[in-house]
Amino acid sequence: MATIGTDVLRAKAILEQGELVAIPTETVYGLAGNALNLSAVTKIFQVKNRPSFDPLIVHTNSLERASSFLKHIPDMAYTLAEALWPGPLTLLLEKQPNVPDLVTSGLDRVAIRIPNHPMTLQLLTQLDFPLAAPSANPFGYISPTEAIHVNDQLGAKLEYILDGGPCSVGVESTIVGFEDGKPWVYRTGGTSIEQIEALIGSVSVQSHSTSNPAAPGMLKSHYAPTKPLIIGDLQTLTQQYEGKNFGILSFDRSFGAVAADKQITLSPMGSTQEAAQKLFGALRVLDKLPIEFILAEYVPEKGLGKAINDRLKRASIQL
Ligand code: TXA
Ligand code: MG
């Protein structure tokens, strides 16, 4: 198992040797390596069991540093970066040759962001290279929002996990790119569409590509627990499956007819922000319970609700 700790200097030393460290961000934990070191980047793909056609996000700590990896920052991208970085926003922009093709899977755009976590910002400030970091989970499984989640699945392959506590946002960054000058959201996430549209006007949201996706986080089946997850009206579903051994993931209410220890309510006060923060941890808990399947419901489509529903949909079995 990996050592879990808060020693930024130890993390820095490991990264400088070309090895990997799991790092906290406000969205989910990342599996980080030197983005400019091909051997480190190769290790990321190996440890995650990730196909090499699925490119990595580059993390840095200033807009100035980000610029050094980009050909050009369109005005709208600049507006978003100024307003929302550090934060749960990834920009997909044309890369400079200094970003290895391995990081972008040969694509000419690089995904880049400044994460909003004090420990990781401190680490990035002290490093003279950016960090490539996908979510620190095996490919296709639920992203980790606590250090222990990383240790559970990747601990055997890692020396050190930098523990920054539970992630405050809880779903991955929103990915925004531009096509013919028009903004596209390729993955809904921790920055809401409302926040983005307030800054740059209306955006198109692309989702649920089944083949050759611009971002494989868009693949239909992703972020999935090992137990089947069925989404629908929970009142109806609990009646339909009465007598069966299931767990419940609800938004703001609980169900008297089902044992309390088999249900998780994401936000009794009805906040999509709180629900996002708890979502992946709740799915992990339910996945470990002695139940056969999970029943869940969609949350309201406002704020972070879109990102939550997107993750639920991809985690579910498609009936
Ligand atoms: O919040 C986050 O974004 C977290 C934290 C660790 O920063 N990272 C994350 O990385 O979610 P990952 O690798 O699990 O998801 C990144 C998504 C993938 O769907 C990938 O295909 C897409 O971003 N992506 C990365 N680079 C890309 C590129 N050059 N072109 C198109 N899509 C890209
Ligand atoms: Mg991921």
Side-chain angles (χ1 to χ4, degrees), residues 14-275:
I14 297 169
L15 290 162
E16 282 171 343
Q17 283 158 19
E19 299 298 328
L20 310 185
V21 172
I23 56 164
T25 83
E26 78 283 31
T27 58
V28 300
Y29 275 73
L31 176 64
N34 179 349
L36 308 181
N37 175 327
L38 294 184
S39 128
V41 176
T42 302
K43 282 177 199 155
I44 295 176
F45 285 101
Q46 283 167 352
V47 167
K48 239 191 102 92
N49 201 9
R50 179 179 179 116
S52 59
F53 61 75
D54 191 358
L56 306 175
I57 297 178
V58 171
H59 298 70
T60 187
N61 65 311
S62 73
L63 189 48
E64 194 188 336
R65 274 184 148 185
S67 312
S68 69
F69 303 109
L70 302 170
K71 272 216 172 113
H72 158 73
I73 304 184
D75 287 348
M76 277 192 238
Y78 198 83
T79 303
L80 292 175
E82 283 251 282
L84 300 171
W85 279 353
L89 170 79
T90 293
L91 292 170
L92 199 50
L93 298 170
E94 245 187 287
K95 78 176 191 76
Q96 290 276 10
N98 57 1
V99 179
D101 287 334
L102 191 58
V103 170
T104 62
S105 303
L107 299 169
D108 55 14
R109 287 191 292 182
V110 61
I112 194 157
R113 86 178 190 102
I114 303 181
N116 190 15
H117 192 290
M119 212 176 242
T120 291
L121 282 172
Q122 197 188 332
L123 174 65
L124 286 164
T125 307
Q126 292 180 30
L127 290 170
D128 57 13
F129 49 81
L131 293 174
S135 52
N137 51 284
F139 185 67
Y141 195 71
I142 306 161
S143 295
T145 50
E146 292 182 37
I148 191 83
H149 297 163
V150 182
N151 208 26
D152 277 353
Q153 291 185 303
L154 300 181
K157 298 175 176 175
L158 280 176
E159 179 183 337
Y160 197 62
I161 299 170
L162 196 56
D163 187 356
C167 300
S168 59
V169 174
V171 289
E172 300 85 350
S173 60
T174 301
I175 304 180
V176 178
F178 302 86
E179 289 174 31
D180 300 324
K182 300 220 168 60
W184 278 90
V185 170
Y186 297 107
R187 176 175 75 181
T188 53
T191 299
S192 69
I193 303 291
E194 293 92 322
Q195 273 176 292
I196 292 170
E197 292 194 327
L199 290 161
I200 58 168
S202 86
V203 295
S204 309
V205 181
Q206 183 179 322
S207 229
H208 293 280
S209 175
T210 43
S211 62
N212 195 22
M218 293 162 56
L219 288 170
K220 256 188 162 180
S221 171
H222 213 75
Y223 314 105
T226 53
K227 296 217 163 93
L229 180 102
I230 300 166
I231 308 174
D233 174 59
L234 281 178
Q235 203 69 54
T236 314
L237 286 175
T238 48
Q239 280 161 12
Q240 186 181 337
Y241 291 103
E242 206 185 330
K244 295 253 187 323
N245 185 13
F246 58 80
I248 287 186
L249 182 66
S250 64
F251 176 49
D252 59 357
R253 56 192 172 148
S254 54
F255 293 81
V258 179
D261 58 1
K262 289 185 181 170
Q263 5 184 350
I264 298 180
T265 304
L266 289 173
S267 175
M269 64 191 236
S271 149
T272 52
Q273 196 178 332
E274 184 185 19

